Amino acid sequence: MKTTARIIGRWVCAAAGVWVAAEVVGRLRIAGGTGERLGSAAVVAAVFLAFVVLVPLPLTRLLGRALRRNQRRFAEEPDWGGSDGEFFAPLRRHFLLVGLGMVLTAVVLVVIGPAGVWAGAELGAALGLDVRLDGGLKALVAAGLVVAAVETALRLVLAVPVKRRRAGALRSLSGLLLSGAGLVLAEVWLDGVRAADPRWLTLAVVAALFHLRFRLTLTLPVPGVASLVLVSANVLALWLVVWLTGLLHVDGFWPLAGTVALMWAAEWPSRLATAAAEARANPPLPPPDPFWPEQHMPRSPLY
């Protein structure tokens, strides 16, 4: 029952994403009465979910099994007599598997998801529904990204009533909302930053798209350098969103950097709450005791 409810909930979220994509992506058109438009969104959403869930499923399971096996190797006692290469092999495998997972996620977002939207539009048209996706590859990718972003944001909303997921969902939602507030400030204050019509819906979609980015954690000994590197990575992420979707018009590098800086600053309370939650979940190990416990003190053979 829970699995069925999750599938239906995700389908509804994807259908809402298709509806929103039809409003903000000019090349995706869903016409007709309300009932026909709902039917078109439902058909496209069903095919989209089939693509993004079933196509990468074998690779997802393969990567998951490999990560679990590698984690078991971490738990094993290392071979202190082996070479340095053998000692650090599990760590190298971990980074490789995590990198492959990130690549797979990117492929799902920019290739498999858009292909699902295109196939869904073609199926809807074959069924006699007034749905059409015109334009080139860029419009197709934009439509797929919008559907994925809206679906992800709405799934966070649905996760709030679930007790075991509530805290994480609220932190993610607060980050999305605060980042969106920073984007609104940038669009209002900065020259050269303009959202396409419909303005407020487009700003919300861009914030949701930006929320899909990979989040990096970086600690460096020089103050401010880690923040500079992370902000630069976010500038690249927002530039990709602008370039791929065309929903936000930014004139030059400095308006782009200013937009990211405002979004980064507005999102700071959410990042702080997330870091505190991670610290509570993974408390640091106590420092080693420089003195032996009394029961383990070496004793003289004379006693």
Side-chain angles (χ1 to χ4, degrees):
M1 186 64 182
K2 290 183 178 179
T3 302
T4 303
R6 284 198 297 268
I7 293 173
I8 293 175
R10 188 167 182 182
W11 178 41
V12 171
C13 293
V18 174
W19 190 290
V20 171
E23 296 293 325
V24 299
V25 179
R27 298 295 186 177
L28 176 62
R29 192 189 71 150
I30 296 178
T34 303
E36 185 177 2
R37 297 185 71 189
L38 285 173
S40 300
V43 169
V44 176
V47 178
F48 168 82
L49 284 181
F51 271 62
V52 299
V53 173
L54 298 178
V55 172
L57 185 60
L59 285 177
T60 302
R61 288 183 171 177
L62 184 64
L63 284 174
R65 287 195 296 267
L67 276 170
R68 287 191 293 271
R69 285 197 303 269
N70 198 53
Q71 286 172 353
R72 287 195 294 268
R73 292 191 182 99
F74 271 119
E76 295 173 355
E77 182 70 21
D79 182 10
W80 300 105
S83 64
D84 290 344
E86 293 174 348
F87 184 82
F88 289 106
L91 186 61
R92 289 198 303 271
R93 279 194 296 267
H94 176 77
F95 282 115
L96 175 61
L97 293 171
V98 170
L100 289 175
M102 295 172 67
V103 170
L104 181 60
T105 301
V107 170
V108 170
L109 285 175
V110 300
V111 178
I112 299 175
V117 174
W118 172 82
E122 291 295 315
L123 178 61
L127 294 175
L129 298 171
D130 195 355
V131 54
R132 189 173 72 243
L133 181 58
D134 299 323
L137 184 61
K138 201 170 179 180
L140 178 62
V141 172
L145 285 173
V146 171
V147 175
V150 175
E151 183 218 345
T152 302
L154 292 179
R155 285 171 62 194
L156 288 175
V157 176
L158 292 181
V160 171
V162 182
K163 186 175 181 180
R164 62 184 177 84
R165 300 177 59 193
R166 182 177 301 155
L170 286 174
R171 287 193 298 269
S172 294
L173 275 176
S174 65
L176 194 158
L177 294 174
L178 290 171
S179 179
L183 179 62
V184 170
L185 289 177
E187 205 264 352
V188 171
W189 287 350
L190 299 180
D191 294 330
V193 180
R194 297 186 303 278
D197 291 327
R199 180 188 179 194
W200 296 109
L201 182 60
T202 300
L203 288 171
V205 169
V206 172
L209 284 166
F210 186 71
H211 194 70
L212 291 177
R213 73 194 187 279
F214 296 119
R215 284 164 178 77
L216 304 176
T217 302
L218 186 63
T219 302
L220 295 174
V222 182
V225 175
S227 297
L228 179 62
V229 172
L230 294 176
V231 170
S232 300
N234 286 324
V235 168
L236 177 60
L238 185 60
W239 175 80
L240 285 173
V241 169
V242 171
W243 178 66
L244 288 172
T245 65
L247 298 177
L248 190 69
H249 181 76
V250 182
D251 293 329
F253 172 78
W254 291 114
L256 181 67
T259 301
V260 171
L262 284 172
M263 297 173 74
W264 176 264
E267 201 184 16
W268 178 78
S270 175
R271 294 197 306 275
L272 188 63
T274 301
E278 291 177 352
R280 288 193 299 270
N282 302 291
L285 295 175
D289 190 350
F291 302 102
W292 285 342
E294 184 178 355
Q295 63 270 24
H296 294 296
M297 287 290 287
R299 297 185 179 274
S300 169
L302 300 178
Y303 296 152

